[in-house]
Amino acid sequence: MALRRKLSPGMLRKFVGFPHGSFESLRPYAGSLHSRGIATVTHGIHVFHCPDSVGIVAKLSDCIASRGGNILVADVFVPKNANVFYSRSEFIFDSVKWPRSSMEDDFLKISNRFNAMRSVVRVPLLDPKYKIAILASRQEHCLVDLLHGWQDGRLPVEVTCVISNHDRGPNTHVIRFLERHGIPYHYLHTTRDNKREEEILDLIKDTDFIVLARYMQILSGNFLRSYGKDVINIHHGLLPSFRGGHPSKQAFDSGVKLIGATCHFVTEELDAGPIIEQMVERVSHRDSLQSFVQKSESLEKQCLSKAIKSYCELRVLPYETNKTVVF
């Protein structure tokens, strides 16, 4: 049985000596800093993955505390008999007293000390947003939801372009939206023998990761290796029972009672990459095919949006060969 340790404020105070009540929320601590004339309170996130060892939590906590930072959330996962350690911490700090470059150096020292496989720090207010490209086919529900999430600020990303193998007319709502916001739309006609992968690679070369928003084309292993970064995909949760065309109708005709959506990383094995997020909902005999499809598409939108948000907030870490730790 794996151990997942949620560190309480009291436990962390034991490590680093923070005052009572300082972990309850950002607001009280930020307010106290402002009352002392400190107006540069900034929020940071750090994730750590290394071989398990004594003193990791204490060292990470001391690093933040010694720079005047305050930990708000600390989550630790130590799988049984696996000798690995995972952690994710959220903290606030004075960005003048602890500059971004110094923070990087401080965490690097800890990373070297514990031979970390991964040590990533992110300061959302100071670091650039993740640049993403969205690939989509004819279905638009996930694409439109992502664009609105970006517009509303719910997704901390910068959409660099939308690529599709479906030619949308110049006066469609998606094209009008993209033109208003200056987001390029690239239509690339694909065939069985030409998936236009070289052209796609050229269009996405400056992105941090790409999102397949119901992109109904299989990306080759060569494409994935050439890109070399994460690719996130969404699909309905009716697999593997209902494959091929019209899976929702197949499931509806079969009288299923539970539908869902799965968001995962893309690997060379079709729809078998590490899962980031899954959602389910009950359906019944009262559902029509239309309401059945609407519920399924709604789950896909929610699932994909949550997965992207989790990814950008450094909540998703690789675990074993085909799993994820999602804090």
Side-chain angles (χ1 to χ4, degrees), residues 22-264:
S22 60
F23 294 90
E24 304 307 325
S25 69
L26 172 63
R27 188 182 303 275
Y29 184 73
S32 67
L33 289 182
H34 283 298
S35 68
R36 299 200 302 269
I38 301 173
T40 52
V41 180
T42 309
H43 175 254
I45 306 168
H46 179 254
V47 295
F48 203 58
H49 175 201
C50 68
D52 194 22
S53 178
V54 174
I56 303 173
V57 172
K59 198 66 180 177
L60 290 170
S61 302
D62 182 64
C63 173
I64 296 170
S66 66
R67 293 291 193 167
N70 194 29
I71 297 176
L72 303 175
V73 177
D75 212 341
V76 170
F77 173 64
V78 181
K80 186 177 180 180
N81 300 324
N83 192 39
V84 289
F85 171 95
Y86 295 87
S87 74
R88 178 183 182 275
S89 304
E90 292 188 36
F91 56 94
I92 51 177
F93 65 100
D94 181 351
S95 58
V96 172
K97 292 183 177 179
W98 197 11
R100 184 69 178 80
S101 58
S102 297
M103 178 182 294
E104 203 77 45
D105 291 340
D106 289 342
F107 282 119
L108 179 60
K109 292 175 184 176
I110 300 176
S111 177
N112 292 335
R113 173 172 178 168
F114 291 103
N115 299 312
M117 290 80 87
R118 176 170 299 197
S119 175
V120 182
V121 62
R122 184 161 181 80
V123 181
L125 289 179
L126 302 179
D127 297 345
K129 290 183 178 180
Y130 289 99
K131 294 182 178 180
I132 71 168
I134 303 174
L135 277 63
S137 292
R138 181 184 296 271
Q139 289 182 293
E140 296 183 339
H141 57 285
C142 287
L143 170 61
V144 170
D145 186 70
L146 290 181
L147 292 175
H148 286 164
W150 163 80
Q151 181 186 41
D152 297 342
R154 288 183 285 113
L155 296 178
V157 298
E158 177 186 339
V159 181
T160 63
C161 67
V162 174
I163 303 169
S164 180
N165 62 333
H166 176 63
D167 188 13
R168 288 173 169 81
N171 200 35
T172 58
H173 67 289
V174 168
I175 298 300
R176 290 198 304 268
F177 180 97
L178 296 175
E179 288 177 345
R180 278 199 311 273
H181 295 283
I183 301 174
Y185 181 84
H186 304 283
Y187 163 59
L188 299 177
H189 175 68
T190 59
T191 65
R192 182 183 297 272
D193 299 321
N194 185 5
K195 303 293 186 180
R196 311 290 290 271
E197 290 190 343
E198 288 298 324
E199 293 162 87
I200 296 174
L201 284 169
D202 185 60
L203 293 171
I204 65 174
K205 61 185 177 183
D206 294 325
T207 58
D208 296 302
F209 65 97
I210 61 178
V211 179
L212 308 185
R214 300 298 285 152
Y215 185 62
M216 307 307 290
Q217 299 291 316
I218 299 174
L219 299 177
S220 69
N222 182 62
F223 176 95
L224 297 174
R225 288 188 294 272
S226 298
Y227 181 57
K229 302 173 188 176
D230 289 324
V231 180
I232 295 176
N233 185 36
I234 183 70
H235 61 71
H236 57 77
L238 304 174
L239 296 172
S241 299
F242 305 102
R243 296 180 178 273
H246 308 292
S248 292
K249 188 175 187 310
Q250 293 179 52
F252 177 78
D253 291 341
S254 297
V256 301
K257 303 302 182 188
L258 197 66
I259 59 173
T262 296
C263 193
H264 63 91

Side-chain angles (χ1 to χ4, degrees), residues 7-21:
L7 300 183
S8 67
M11 293 169 66
L12 281 166
R13 284 193 297 274
K14 181 179 178 181
F15 284 121
V16 299
F18 285 134
H20 177 72

